[in-house]
Amino acid sequence: MTEVKIIADCAAPAESAFAYVNDYRNLPRFINEISEFTPTTEQTEGVGATFDGTIQLGPITLHSRIEIVRHEENFAIGVKSIKGFEIESTFLFHAKDANSSTVDAIVDYKVPGGIAGKLLGKTIEPFVKLAVKSSTNNLITQIAEFHSADANA
């Protein structure tokens, strides 16, 4: 598997960061490459919730069904594909103080073997790295806005 990890400081507490990411409807807001992300079960949070997603990485469109496999309140959300493109993704939220945190975005993906898999891997690798960096930047900005709006409500 190929791992891409981005660590960023966020102007909001870990609880706000977790709450924002925990709402699946926010995922396409901070990951621009996601064109579809829909629940496949009534459960939309916590271990066992599943979603179908479509992501555009450069010239390649990939589909996956993912399941939440890790859900630790205010600390971690992890997903793993159970169908389609193989991907594992984890968000970790580390409290720094009452008004700030650090967010770790970790993405592991695997392409199929053989020549076609190697070609796919070479094609999408730069797009995955850019997408994770861009998504993390979007995420910390949106979390800070979410926290600010929530604090002023």
Side-chain angles (χ1 to χ4, degrees), residues 46-49 67-71 77-80 82 88-90:
V47 172
E67 178 178 11
I68 297 176
V69 294
R70 182 177 181 188
H71 193 268
I77 298 173
V79 301
K80 182 177 183 176
I82 55 175
E88 291 181 38
S89 183
T90 304

Side-chain angles (χ1 to χ4, degrees), residues 106-117:
I106 306 157
V107 176
D108 284 315
Y109 65 94
K110 183 177 180 181
V111 294
I115 294 171

Side-chain angles (χ1 to χ4, degrees), residues 114-141:
I115 294 171
K118 286 182 182 180
L119 182 59
L120 175 62
K122 293 285 186 201
T123 302
I124 68 170
E125 184 175 5
F127 295 105
V128 170
K129 288 180 179 177
L130 286 171
V132 173
K133 184 169 179 53
S134 171
S135 297
T136 304
N137 289 336
N138 291 342
L139 177 60
I140 60 171
T141 299

Side-chain angles (χ1 to χ4, degrees), residues 32 39 50-51 54 135:
N32 296 329
T50 61
F51 304 85
T54 301
S135 297

Side-chain angles (χ1 to χ4, degrees), residues 16-30 37 39 44-46 51 68 71 77 93 139 142 146:
S16 289
F18 179 89
Y20 189 80
V21 174
N22 195 47
D23 184 342
Y24 78 92
R25 296 168 297 188
N26 291 329
L27 197 69
R29 293 180 184 146
F30 66 87
F37 194 73
T44 60
E45 64 179 55
F51 304 85
I68 297 176
H71 193 268
I77 298 173
F93 311 96
L139 177 60
Q142 291 172 22
F146 169 77

